[in-house]
Amino acid sequence: MKKNFKKWILGSFIFFSAFGTNAFAQSDALLQQIANNTQAIMQSVSNLPAYIQQATAFILMWTNTDSSDTSKNLGQAFQDYQTSISANYKAQASTTIQQRLLKDFFGDATPSTFIDANDVVYQIFPMQPQKFLYFNPDPRATNQQSAPDYAYNYLRYASGLNVSHIKPEPAWNGKKTQKDRYNAYYYSISAVQTYNAYALSNLYANYNNGDNLSKTQQALITQASSSDWFTQVGGENISVVVRQILMYESQIYVLLSHMYNLEKQMLTAQTMNNTLLILLNQYNEDVMVKKADGTIRD
């Protein structure tokens, strides 16, 4: 035992003699690093209760009911806004206003003087059809036959589809320039009229469907702006609210797609309106040409 101890002392003496104070310095640095790491670990462990408390507060914030004044006031503002919109719509759709307007337009018309008055009443489309017929029942309905499809007739009149034009014939004996001009007019005006009929056919389709699309839209609008809806959203877990947001977002995408199609149709209608202006200006153009070539003199 003493012999081994003497060997350890001798080895240590040789080691420290060989490496000197540098070995002591490296040893101190290593020990200091271990101490620092241990202290950092202990500090993190001591902070765990605070982290757990913060995480709990965060979770509760997402799961507790929303009783803030900001959300309450915002919900009330949306409800008031929808109430005003609904009030305006009901006032516009009332028989008091619309029947008065129709009476001012038709004047003293009677079934004997204007038997097909219902064919030109737009109010049957966005409102209750039977409620806004000018003559109810339609005087054309008899025991032998039902009333004509006044909604379809309105579509024809509003689109100009009932305005017919004489089809150009190759056998006409007029000048070629005059025949070409009428051909251009005929095909342009016909193209515009058929598009008008297509665009307005959406009204007719919705009318035949019982205006279900508008009713569904109104129901969704009422729900989304109801005080009960905001109360329900404020009391639900955030996971449920997020799912409801995603559902509304998907419907917004559908509506945006629908609006995109409507904008394309509006652009088409605008270009056709420009075409009509060109056609209407043909007379002035003809006069200017004749003045320019001297046929007409001021």
Side-chain angles (χ1 to χ4, degrees):
M1 182 70 178
K2 292 182 179 180
K3 186 177 181 180
N4 291 336
F5 180 72
K6 290 179 179 180
K7 288 182 179 181
W8 180 81
I9 294 295
L10 179 60
S12 300
F13 175 77
I14 295 172
F15 173 80
F16 288 112
S17 296
F19 294 99
T21 58
N22 187 36
F24 284 105
Q26 291 181 354
S27 178
D28 288 341
L30 180 61
L31 292 175
Q32 184 62 44
Q33 184 64 42
I34 293 173
N36 292 339
N37 291 341
T38 303
Q39 184 177 5
I41 293 173
M42 295 302 295
Q43 182 65 37
S44 298
V45 171
S46 65
N47 289 336
L48 278 177
Y51 293 153
I52 294 173
Q53 184 178 7
Q54 293 174 2
T56 303
F58 179 77
I59 294 172
L60 290 176
M61 180 181 64
W62 282 79
T63 56
N64 286 344
T65 58
D66 183 5
S67 58
S68 65
D69 292 337
T70 301
S71 297
K72 180 180 179 181
N73 294 335
L74 184 62
Q76 185 62 47
F78 276 121
Q79 184 183 11
D80 293 343
Y81 178 71
Q82 173 57 27
T83 300
S84 299
I85 293 178
S86 299
N88 289 344
Y89 179 79
K90 290 179 181 179
Q92 182 184 18
S94 67
T95 55
T96 303
I97 295 177
Q98 297 303 326
Q99 291 290 3
R100 181 180 177 185
L101 291 172
L102 292 175
K103 182 66 176 178
D104 288 341
F105 174 76
F106 288 111
D108 297 329
T110 64
S112 60
T113 61
F114 200 164
I115 193 172
D116 51 357
N118 289 338
D119 291 349
V120 293
V121 177
Y122 171 77
Q123 283 79 353
I124 65 174
F125 290 100
M127 304 169 189
Q128 299 177 24
Q130 298 300 322
K131 187 177 179 181
F132 287 98
L133 286 177
Y134 190 68
F135 295 132
N136 191 10
D138 194 297
R140 291 168 292 183
T142 63
N143 294 331
Q144 290 75 30
Q145 63 182 15
S146 58
D149 191 345
Y150 36 79
Y152 181 78
N153 288 340
Y154 180 91
L155 168 64
R156 292 172 55 244
Y157 296 148
S159 64
L161 203 64
N162 64 311
V163 180
S164 60
H165 311 281
I166 298 176
K167 185 178 180 302
E169 298 292 342
W172 284 354
N173 296 323
K175 294 181 180 180
K176 185 178 184 306
T177 55
Q178 296 297 332
K179 291 169 62 177
D180 291 344
R181 172 171 290 187
Y182 181 76
N183 283 348
Y185 168 81
Y186 174 84
Y187 289 109
S188 295
I189 198 69
S190 299
V192 171
Q193 287 175 279
T194 55
Y195 174 77
N196 288 345
Y198 166 77
L200 290 176
S201 63
N202 181 60
L203 277 176
Y204 184 70
N206 190 48
Y207 168 83
N208 284 331
N209 195 32
D211 199 26
N212 286 335
L213 178 60
S214 298
K215 294 175 182 176
T216 303
Q217 290 174 335
Q218 185 61 36
L220 288 173
I221 292 173
T222 301
Q223 176 191 356
S225 54
S226 170
S227 60
D228 295 336
W229 166 256
F230 290 112
T231 301
Q232 179 182 348
V233 169
E236 290 177 335
N237 291 336
I238 194 64
S239 60
V240 177
V241 176
V242 169
R243 293 187 182 93
Q244 292 170 351
I245 291 174
L246 292 176
M247 292 172 63
Y248 269 96
E249 286 291 336
S250 66
Q251 294 309 303
I252 289 174
Y253 171 76
V254 173
L255 290 177
L256 287 176
S257 300
H258 182 62
M259 290 177 62
Y260 173 68
N261 291 330
L262 289 178
E263 288 178 354
K264 290 195 298 183
Q265 293 183 18
M266 290 173 62
L267 177 61
T268 303
Q270 181 61 47
T271 58
M272 290 186 174
N273 184 63
N274 294 338
T275 300
L276 291 176
L277 292 176
I278 293 172
L279 295 175
L280 291 173
N281 197 49
Q282 280 188 310
Y283 176 78
N284 293 331
E285 180 181 345
D286 184 59
V287 172
M288 286 188 291
V289 170
K290 290 181 178 179
K291 285 184 178 181
D293 66 12
T295 304
I296 297 177
R297 298 185 181 275
D298 292 333

